[in-house]
Amino acid sequence: QVQLVESGGGSVQASGSLRLSCAVSGSTFDTACMGWFRQAPGKEREGVARIYSGDGKTYYTYSVEGRFTISQDNAKNTLYLQMNSLKPEDTAMYYCAAGWYGASCPPLYAPYFNYWGQGTQVTVSS
């Protein structure tokens, strides 16, 4: 059974940084498509970043490009999201998600990802 466990959320002032982690167990990490999503109160869940574990190719939504970095440690089966220059509008519950699609990743939309963590809260104050 695949399990994802996020950690690293918290409260930070604008322009600060946080690093989120997501530990993956129960399946091989090597060919996984891993993603970070976020959901603010009253808003739909949106994709933030995606990485294909097979070759490390990444994709970012426009609003975080240049500020956030998604990475992975295959030896530790752990996914990361380094968030710099945080803004109040980044405040949300952040979720990691996984799916297995062979040699590539699907679009960064929640329905494409089969497994989800419980979420970790990120709050950015101005």
Side-chain angles (χ1 to χ4, degrees), residues 6-45:
E6 302 99 334
S7 60
S11 297
V12 65
Q13 289 191 326
S15 77
S17 298
L18 283 173
R19 189 176 83 154
L20 306 183
S21 299
C22 174
V24 181
S25 61
S27 185
T28 179
F29 198 63
D30 294 345
T31 57
C33 187
M34 303 296 301
W36 285 101
F37 291 77
R38 66 186 179 187
Q39 189 167 18
K43 294 189 176 180
E44 292 187 356
R45 190 168 298 189

Side-chain angles (χ1 to χ4, degrees), residues 40-92:
K43 294 189 176 180
E44 292 187 356
R45 190 168 298 189
E46 67 166 340
V48 174
R50 178 194 74 202
I51 186 169
Y52 175 56
S53 298
D55 59 14
K57 285 186 178 178
T58 59
Y59 169 84
Y60 299 90
T61 194
Y62 177 78
S63 62
V64 308
E65 199 160 12
R67 300 189 297 122
F68 291 11
T69 302
I70 188 171
S71 63
Q72 61 193 35
D73 185 331
N74 285 4
K76 295 183 179 179
N77 268 24
T78 301
L79 178 73
Y80 302 101
L81 185 68
Q82 178 67 44
M83 305 185 294
N84 299 329
S85 302
L86 282 161
K87 304 175 181 180
E89 51 263 44
D90 294 318
T91 295

